[in-house]
C-alpha cells in the first residue's frame, strides 16, 4: 500500500495492471482530505496520451518506477470521464468511479483534493489541507496506539473493499505473422582486363628467281667479251597485326522478386479455466 511519504515518487511513474499491461503515466495525485493518503491518480492514456483517466491507487504497490494497480487496463480505458474543475472531487464523482471499478466505500471521508506537481496545497474544502510528506499536525507516525485519531485512520484504510466476482477473464495469445525486408547480400559487376593468345593463319606471297636460258639472235655487239651483270628485285608479303577496339556487349544487373513459401513456428500461451468444486455435505 502506498503511504503519504511516497507521494512525491508517484509522479511520472508508469501505471500497469496485474497482467503487466501498461496503462499510462501518472499526471496528478489525489489525496484523502483527512489523512493525506493517496487515493486516486489521473493517468495519461490513449494512443497519444491525450486522454486522462482516474485509477484507484488505494491498494496499489510501487517499485522500480512503476505502480501496479488491481484493476484491468480495459477498466481504466472505459472509466467515466470526471471533470474536476474546482480542484476537488465530489462524493458523487467518487461514487461514479467506485461503481465503475466495482469498489464499495465503507464510509465517506469528504472530498479529495488534487496534489499538482507533487507540491503541498492548503485550503479548499478540507480542513487539514494536503502535504507531500507526513500529514500536518504530527503525521501518521506520531499518533499513539489506540488513540481516536489512529482508529479513524485505521477505519479509513479499510474504506474500499473489492466486490466479489463470480467470473474470471481468460486470456490467450495470438500469432501475427508478417514479413520484413532484410539485406541478404550484394551483387556487383566488376570489369577487368584479361589477355588471351590468338593464332590466325594468313596467306603471304613472296617472289623467287629462276634462271631462264634461251638462244640469242642477231649479230655480235661491242659488248662482247666484256664484264656485264643483270639484277632483279625480289619482293614478298609479310603479315601485319593491327588491333582495333570496338564495343561488343553491354552487361547490367536486373532484380526480380521471387515468392516462395516458408514455414515459421512459435509457441503461444493460453489460459485454461478449471472448475474446482468444494462440496460440503452434512454427515
Amino acid at each position: 500500500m502506498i503511504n503519504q511519504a511516497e507521494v512525491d515518487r508517484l509522479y511520472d511513474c508508469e501505471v500497469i495492471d496485474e497482467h503487466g499491461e501498461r496503462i499510462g503515466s501518472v499526471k496528478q495525485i489525489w489525496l484523502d482530505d483527512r489523512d493525506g493518503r493517496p487515493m486516486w491518480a489521473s493517468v495519461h492514456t490513449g494512443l497519444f496520451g491525450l486522454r486522462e483517466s482516474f485509477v484507484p491507487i488505494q491498494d496499489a504497490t510501487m517499485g522500480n518506477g512503476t505502480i501496479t494497480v488491481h484493476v484491468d487496463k480495459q477498466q481504466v480505458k472505459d472509466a467515466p470521464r470526471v471533470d474536476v474543475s474546482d480542484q476537488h472531487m465530489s462524493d458523487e464523482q467518487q461514487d461514479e468511479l467506485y461503481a465503475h471499478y466495482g469498489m464499495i466505500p465503507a464510509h465517506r471521508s469528504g472530498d479529495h483534493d488534487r496534489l499538482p506537481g507533487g507540491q503541498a496545497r492548503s485550503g479548499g474544502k478540507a480542513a487539514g489541507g494536503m502535504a507531500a510528506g507526513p500529514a500536518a499536525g504530527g503525521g501518521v507516525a506520531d499518533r499513539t496506539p489506540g488513540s481516536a485519531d489512529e482508529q479513524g485512520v485505521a477505519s479509513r484504510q479499510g474504506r474500499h473493499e473489492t466486490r466479489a466476482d463470480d467470473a474470471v477473464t481468460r486470456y490467450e495469445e495470438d500469432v501475427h505473422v508478417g514479413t520484413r525486408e532484410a539485406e541478404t547480400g550484394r551483387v556487383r559487376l566488376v570489369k577487368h582486363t584479361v589477355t588471351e593468345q590468338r593464332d590466325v593463319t594468313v596467306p603471304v606471297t613472296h617472289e623467287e628467281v629462276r634462271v631462264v636460258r634461251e638462244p640469242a639472235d642477231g649479230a655480235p655487239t661491242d659488248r662482247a667479251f666484256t664484264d656485264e651483270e643483270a639484277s632483279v628485285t625480289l619482293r614478298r608479303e609479310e603479315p601485319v597485326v593491327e588491333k582495333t577496339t570496338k564495343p561488343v556487349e553491354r552487361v547490367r544487373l536486373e532484380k526480380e522478386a521471387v515468392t516462395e513459401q516458408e514455414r515459421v513456428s512459435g509457441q503461444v500461451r493460453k489460459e485454461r479455466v478449471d472448475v474446482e468444486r468444494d462440496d460440503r455435505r452434512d454427515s
Side-chain angles (χ1 to χ4, degrees):
M1 181 178 296
I2 302 173
N3 55 43
Q4 184 187 17
E6 297 174 315
V7 172
D8 286 337
R9 298 169 53 194
L10 300 179
Y11 289 91
D12 297 328
C13 284
E14 294 293 323
V15 179
I16 61 175
D17 63 9
E18 292 179 315
H19 305 287
E21 293 287 338
R22 180 184 181 276
I23 297 176
S25 57
V26 175
K27 178 182 179 183
Q28 292 175 341
I29 303 297
W30 296 74
L31 306 179
D32 191 288
D33 291 336
R34 297 187 179 183
D35 59 6
R37 284 191 305 115
M39 303 297 290
W40 299 91
S42 58
V43 178
H44 283 297
T45 59
L47 182 60
F48 300 102
L50 301 179
R51 178 184 173 90
E52 184 177 354
S53 304
F54 284 89
V55 183
I57 59 174
Q58 297 93 321
D59 299 325
T61 57
M62 183 175 64
N64 298 326
T66 59
I67 302 174
T68 303
V69 295
H70 300 291
V71 294
D72 292 333
K73 179 179 180 179
Q74 189 62 39
Q75 283 184 288
V76 179
K77 183 179 179 181
D78 298 335
R81 298 294 296 272
V82 177
D83 184 13
V84 187
S85 58
D86 60 349
Q87 307 298 315
H88 288 79
M89 188 185 299
S90 65
D91 288 333
E92 290 77 10
Q93 291 171 328
Q94 294 180 69
D95 291 341
E96 184 180 5
L97 292 173
Y98 288 145
H100 172 74
Y101 288 112
M103 303 175 67
I104 304 174
H107 60 82
R108 299 185 183 277
S109 60
D111 298 330
H112 294 325
D113 287 344
R114 180 172 55 185
L115 186 65
Q119 300 298 324
R121 175 182 177 275
S122 61
K125 296 183 180 179
M130 299 181 297
V140 177
D142 294 339
R143 297 188 180 96
T144 58
S147 64
D149 199 3
E150 184 184 37
Q151 294 174 1
V153 173
S155 65
R156 283 189 296 273
Q157 289 178 347
R159 169 182 179 181
H160 305 291
E161 300 175 359
T162 302
R163 181 179 299 166
D165 203 353
D166 57 358
V168 295
T169 302
R170 188 178 67 84
Y171 296 88
E172 65 179 31
E173 295 177 334
D174 289 334
V175 176
H176 302 280
V177 179
T179 60
R180 62 181 178 89
E181 289 189 357
E183 184 174 313
T184 58
R186 290 179 178 270
V187 179
R188 298 183 299 273
L189 288 177
V190 180
K191 187 178 72 170
H192 57 276
T193 302
V194 296
T195 301
E196 61 181 11
Q197 184 70 30
R198 180 170 296 184
D199 296 328
V200 179
T201 301
V202 57
V204 293
T205 303
H206 68 278
E207 295 176 342
E208 295 182 352
V209 64
R210 61 187 180 88
V211 177
V212 179
R213 300 177 183 274
E214 56 186 15
D217 295 333
T221 63
D222 55 357
R223 302 174 66 179
F225 301 105
T226 60
D227 294 334
E228 187 178 1
E229 66 179 23
S231 64
V232 294
T233 300
L234 301 178
R235 298 181 179 277
R236 70 169 184 174
E237 295 178 341
E238 294 181 347
V240 177
V241 178
E242 294 183 356
K243 294 183 289 186
T244 58
T245 303
K246 63 178 182 178
V248 294
E249 186 181 30
R250 183 173 178 82
V251 182
R252 63 186 179 89
L253 294 176
E254 186 177 78
K255 296 192 302 182
E256 63 177 1
V258 179
T259 302
E260 59 185 6
Q261 300 296 325
E262 184 172 338
R263 178 182 293 273
V264 296
S265 61
Q267 294 181 344
V268 295
R269 299 177 300 172
K270 64 179 181 179
E271 298 175 340
R272 186 180 65 182
V273 177
D274 296 329
V275 178
E276 297 181 356
R277 184 170 181 175
D278 186 8
D279 292 333
R280 296 183 179 179
R281 299 181 180 179
D282 296 334
S283 58

